[in-house]
PDB file of all heavy atoms in Angstrom:
ATOM      1  N   GLU A 386     141.323 156.831 -15.787  1.00 86.00           N
ATOM      2  CA  GLU A 386     141.699 156.097 -14.581  1.00 86.00           C
ATOM      3  C   GLU A 386     141.935 157.089 -13.444  1.00 86.00           C
ATOM      4  O   GLU A 386     142.407 158.214 -13.677  1.00 86.00           O
ATOM      5  CB  GLU A 386     142.966 155.275 -14.816  1.00 86.00           C
ATOM      6  CG  GLU A 386     142.780 154.157 -15.829  1.00 86.00           C
ATOM      7  CD  GLU A 386     144.042 153.323 -15.978  1.00 86.00           C
ATOM      8  OE1 GLU A 386     145.034 153.636 -15.279  1.00 86.00           O
ATOM      9  OE2 GLU A 386     144.035 152.368 -16.779  1.00 86.00           O
ATOM     10  N   THR A 389     144.754 160.131 -12.957  1.00 89.00           N
ATOM     11  CA  THR A 389     145.285 160.694 -14.205  1.00 89.00           C
ATOM     12  C   THR A 389     144.797 162.122 -14.391  1.00 89.00           C
ATOM     13  O   THR A 389     143.723 162.505 -13.902  1.00 89.00           O
ATOM     14  CB  THR A 389     144.841 159.858 -15.425  1.00 89.00           C
ATOM     15  OG1 THR A 389     143.412 159.846 -15.491  1.00 89.00           O
ATOM     16  CG2 THR A 389     145.342 158.433 -15.304  1.00 89.00           C
ATOM     17  N   ASN A 410     147.564 170.201 -22.416  1.00 92.00           N
ATOM     18  CA  ASN A 410     147.971 170.183 -20.997  1.00 92.00           C
ATOM     19  C   ASN A 410     149.381 170.708 -20.785  1.00 92.00           C
ATOM     20  O   ASN A 410     149.691 171.288 -19.727  1.00 92.00           O
ATOM     21  CB  ASN A 410     147.883 168.759 -20.437  1.00 92.00           C
ATOM     22  CG  ASN A 410     146.469 168.230 -20.418  1.00 92.00           C
ATOM     23  OD1 ASN A 410     145.948 167.867 -21.462  1.00 92.00           O
ATOM     24  ND2 ASN A 410     145.829 168.211 -19.236  1.00 92.00           N
ATOM     25  N   THR A 434     143.880 154.613   9.415  1.00 97.00           N
ATOM     26  CA  THR A 434     143.792 154.125  10.796  1.00 97.00           C
ATOM     27  C   THR A 434     142.480 154.569  11.411  1.00 97.00           C
ATOM     28  O   THR A 434     142.056 155.717  11.231  1.00 97.00           O
ATOM     29  CB  THR A 434     144.946 154.690  11.656  1.00 97.00           C
ATOM     30  OG1 THR A 434     146.183 154.310  11.080  1.00 97.00           O
ATOM     31  CG2 THR A 434     144.882 154.144  13.085  1.00 97.00           C
ATOM     32  N   ILE A 437     139.831 154.009  18.926  1.00 98.00           N
ATOM     33  CA  ILE A 437     139.147 154.677  20.029  1.00 98.00           C
ATOM     34  C   ILE A 437     139.954 154.438  21.292  1.00 98.00           C
ATOM     35  O   ILE A 437     140.519 153.348  21.488  1.00 98.00           O
ATOM     36  CB  ILE A 437     137.695 154.156  20.180  1.00 98.00           C
ATOM     37  CG1 ILE A 437     136.951 154.929  21.280  1.00 98.00           C
ATOM     38  CG2 ILE A 437     137.664 152.663  20.435  1.00 98.00           C
ATOM     39  CD1 ILE A 437     135.454 154.598  21.345  1.00 98.00           C
ATOM     40  N   THR A 456     141.803 151.130  27.452  1.00 96.00           N
ATOM     41  CA  THR A 456     140.689 150.393  26.844  1.00 96.00           C
ATOM     42  C   THR A 456     139.430 150.387  27.702  1.00 96.00           C
ATOM     43  O   THR A 456     138.469 149.681  27.373  1.00 96.00           O
ATOM     44  CB  THR A 456     141.100 148.937  26.560  1.00 96.00           C
ATOM     45  OG1 THR A 456     141.360 148.276  27.805  1.00 96.00           O
ATOM     46  CG2 THR A 456     142.334 148.889  25.682  1.00 96.00           C
ATOM     47  N   LYS A 479     131.784 162.975  10.790  1.00 97.00           N
ATOM     48  CA  LYS A 479     131.031 163.037  12.038  1.00 97.00           C
ATOM     49  C   LYS A 479     131.082 161.654  12.679  1.00 97.00           C
ATOM     50  O   LYS A 479     131.233 160.638  11.985  1.00 97.00           O
ATOM     51  CB  LYS A 479     129.580 163.448  11.787  1.00 97.00           C
ATOM     52  CG  LYS A 479     129.413 164.874  11.295  1.00 97.00           C
ATOM     53  CD  LYS A 479     127.936 165.216  11.126  1.00 97.00           C
ATOM     54  CE  LYS A 479     127.754 166.648  10.646  1.00 97.00           C
ATOM     55  NZ  LYS A 479     128.232 167.634  11.668  1.00 97.00           N
ATOM     56  N   PHE A 494     139.999 168.245  11.994  1.00 97.00           N
ATOM     57  CA  PHE A 494     141.367 167.996  11.532  1.00 97.00           C
ATOM     58  C   PHE A 494     142.350 168.408  12.625  1.00 97.00           C
ATOM     59  O   PHE A 494     142.241 169.496  13.188  1.00 97.00           O
ATOM     60  CB  PHE A 494     141.628 168.777  10.245  1.00 97.00           C
ATOM     61  CG  PHE A 494     143.051 168.698   9.766  1.00 97.00           C
ATOM     62  CD1 PHE A 494     143.594 167.487   9.368  1.00 97.00           C
ATOM     63  CD2 PHE A 494     143.839 169.844   9.729  1.00 97.00           C
ATOM     64  CE1 PHE A 494     144.909 167.420   8.921  1.00 97.00           C
ATOM     65  CE2 PHE A 494     145.153 169.777   9.286  1.00 97.00           C
ATOM     66  CZ  PHE A 494     145.692 168.564   8.880  1.00 97.00           C
ATOM     67  N   ASP A 509     136.560 164.263  20.560  1.00 97.00           N
ATOM     68  CA  ASP A 509     136.666 163.942  21.989  1.00 97.00           C
ATOM     69  C   ASP A 509     135.323 164.236  22.660  1.00 97.00           C
ATOM     70  O   ASP A 509     134.683 165.258  22.372  1.00 97.00           O
ATOM     71  CB  ASP A 509     137.752 164.782  22.662  1.00 97.00           C
ATOM     72  CG  ASP A 509     139.141 164.478  22.100  1.00 97.00           C
ATOM     73  OD1 ASP A 509     139.284 163.443  21.431  1.00 97.00           O
ATOM     74  OD2 ASP A 509     140.068 165.289  22.329  1.00 97.00           O
ATOM     75  N   GLU A 520     126.841 149.529  30.016  1.00 93.00           N
ATOM     76  CA  GLU A 520     128.149 149.146  30.560  1.00 93.00           C
ATOM     77  C   GLU A 520     128.709 148.015  29.712  1.00 93.00           C
ATOM     78  O   GLU A 520     128.598 146.834  30.028  1.00 93.00           O
ATOM     79  CB  GLU A 520     128.021 148.734  32.031  1.00 93.00           C
ATOM     80  CG  GLU A 520     127.776 149.906  32.949  1.00 93.00           C
ATOM     81  CD  GLU A 520     127.999 149.553  34.405  1.00 93.00           C
ATOM     82  OE1 GLU A 520     129.167 149.481  34.832  1.00 93.00           O
ATOM     83  OE2 GLU A 520     126.997 149.339  35.097  1.00 93.00           O
ATOM     84  N   ILE A 523     132.004 150.621  24.070  1.00 96.00           N
ATOM     85  CA  ILE A 523     131.400 151.792  23.437  1.00 96.00           C
ATOM     86  C   ILE A 523     131.435 151.604  21.928  1.00 96.00           C
ATOM     87  O   ILE A 523     132.497 151.374  21.344  1.00 96.00           O
ATOM     88  CB  ILE A 523     132.140 153.076  23.837  1.00 96.00           C
ATOM     89  CG1 ILE A 523     132.011 153.313  25.347  1.00 96.00           C
ATOM     90  CG2 ILE A 523     131.614 154.281  23.054  1.00 96.00           C
ATOM     91  CD1 ILE A 523     132.798 154.499  25.853  1.00 96.00           C
ATOM     92  N   THR A 602     145.156 137.501  42.109  1.00 98.00           N
ATOM     93  CA  THR A 602     144.865 137.791  43.514  1.00 98.00           C
ATOM     94  C   THR A 602     146.005 138.597  44.120  1.00 98.00           C
ATOM     95  O   THR A 602     147.096 138.696  43.559  1.00 98.00           O
ATOM     96  CB  THR A 602     144.654 136.492  44.308  1.00 98.00           C
ATOM     97  OG1 THR A 602     145.872 135.709  44.261  1.00 98.00           O
ATOM     98  CG2 THR A 602     143.507 135.686  43.734  1.00 98.00           C
ATOM     99  N   PHE A 649     154.189 115.249  99.857  1.00 87.00           N
ATOM    100  CA  PHE A 649     153.580 113.959  99.550  1.00 87.00           C
ATOM    101  C   PHE A 649     154.054 112.941 100.578  1.00 87.00           C
ATOM    102  O   PHE A 649     155.269 112.742 100.773  1.00 87.00           O
ATOM    103  CB  PHE A 649     153.994 113.507  98.144  1.00 87.00           C
ATOM    104  CG  PHE A 649     153.245 112.310  97.640  1.00 87.00           C
ATOM    105  CD1 PHE A 649     152.062 112.446  96.938  1.00 87.00           C
ATOM    106  CD2 PHE A 649     153.729 111.026  97.881  1.00 87.00           C
ATOM    107  CE1 PHE A 649     151.379 111.337  96.472  1.00 87.00           C
ATOM    108  CE2 PHE A 649     153.046 109.919  97.427  1.00 87.00           C
ATOM    109  CZ  PHE A 649     151.866 110.071  96.714  1.00 87.00           C
ATOM    110  N   ALA A 720     147.694 127.293  68.604  1.00 94.00           N
ATOM    111  CA  ALA A 720     148.616 128.130  67.835  1.00 94.00           C
ATOM    112  C   ALA A 720     150.064 127.728  68.051  1.00 94.00           C
ATOM    113  O   ALA A 720     150.951 128.216  67.346  1.00 94.00           O
ATOM    114  CB  ALA A 720     148.425 129.600  68.205  1.00 94.00           C
ATOM    115  N   THR A 754     164.283  80.918 130.722  1.00 79.00           N
ATOM    116  CA  THR A 754     165.499  81.535 130.153  1.00 79.00           C
ATOM    117  C   THR A 754     165.106  82.772 129.334  1.00 79.00           C
ATOM    118  O   THR A 754     164.206  82.724 128.493  1.00 79.00           O
ATOM    119  CB  THR A 754     166.239  80.524 129.264  1.00 79.00           C
ATOM    120  OG1 THR A 754     166.556  79.355 130.031  1.00 79.00           O
ATOM    121  CG2 THR A 754     167.502  81.141 128.698  1.00 79.00           C
ATOM    122  N   PRO A 758     167.509  87.725 120.405  1.00 71.00           N
ATOM    123  CA  PRO A 758     166.509  88.806 120.572  1.00 71.00           C
ATOM    124  C   PRO A 758     165.184  88.270 121.035  1.00 71.00           C
ATOM    125  O   PRO A 758     164.862  87.123 120.862  1.00 71.00           O
ATOM    126  CB  PRO A 758     166.393  89.382 119.172  1.00 71.00           C
ATOM    127  CG  PRO A 758     166.725  88.252 118.261  1.00 71.00           C
ATOM    128  CD  PRO A 758     167.773  87.439 118.953  1.00 71.00           C
ATOM    129  N   ASP A 775     167.456  95.786 114.645  1.00 77.00           N
ATOM    130  CA  ASP A 775     167.425  97.252 114.513  1.00 77.00           C
ATOM    131  C   ASP A 775     166.712  97.893 115.694  1.00 77.00           C
ATOM    132  O   ASP A 775     166.698  99.119 115.816  1.00 77.00           O
ATOM    133  CB  ASP A 775     166.716  97.646 113.217  1.00 77.00           C
ATOM    134  CG  ASP A 775     167.531  97.295 112.002  1.00 77.00           C
ATOM    135  OD1 ASP A 775     168.739  97.034 112.161  1.00 77.00           O
ATOM    136  OD2 ASP A 775     166.977  97.291 110.865  1.00 77.00           O
ATOM    137  N   ILE A 778     166.617  98.263 122.829  1.00 84.00           N
ATOM    138  CA  ILE A 778     165.853  97.922 124.027  1.00 84.00           C
ATOM    139  C   ILE A 778     166.472  98.593 125.233  1.00 84.00           C
ATOM    140  O   ILE A 778     167.678  98.496 125.437  1.00 84.00           O
ATOM    141  CB  ILE A 778     165.784  96.407 124.235  1.00 84.00           C
ATOM    142  CG1 ILE A 778     165.205  95.732 122.959  1.00 84.00           C
ATOM    143  CG2 ILE A 778     164.954  96.047 125.455  1.00 84.00           C
ATOM    144  CD1 ILE A 778     165.217  94.220 123.045  1.00 84.00           C
ATOM    145  N   TRP A 780     166.010  99.075 129.462  1.00 84.00           N
ATOM    146  CA  TRP A 780     165.332  98.540 130.654  1.00 84.00           C
ATOM    147  C   TRP A 780     165.245  99.602 131.739  1.00 84.00           C
ATOM    148  O   TRP A 780     166.170 100.399 131.917  1.00 84.00           O
ATOM    149  CB  TRP A 780     166.118  97.351 131.254  1.00 84.00           C
ATOM    150  CG  TRP A 780     166.027  96.098 130.397  1.00 84.00           C
ATOM    151  CD1 TRP A 780     165.210  95.049 130.592  1.00 84.00           C
ATOM    152  CD2 TRP A 780     166.829  95.772 129.307  1.00 84.00           C
ATOM    153  NE1 TRP A 780     165.400  94.055 129.677  1.00 84.00           N
ATOM    154  CE2 TRP A 780     166.435  94.528 128.833  1.00 84.00           C
ATOM    155  CE3 TRP A 780     167.861  96.457 128.587  1.00 84.00           C
ATOM    156  CZ2 TRP A 780     167.028  93.894 127.730  1.00 84.00           C
ATOM    157  CZ3 TRP A 780     168.420  95.814 127.514  1.00 84.00           C
ATOM    158  CH2 TRP A 780     167.992  94.559 127.065  1.00 84.00           C
TER     159      TRP A 780
END
Side-chain angles (χ1 to χ4, degrees):
E386 294 183 0
T389 60
N410 296 76
T434 302
I437 184 172
T456 65
K479 293 182 179 295
F494 174 64
D509 296 344
E520 287 195 78
I523 297 176
T602 62
F649 190 89
T754 303
D775 290 344
I778 305 175
W780 288 261

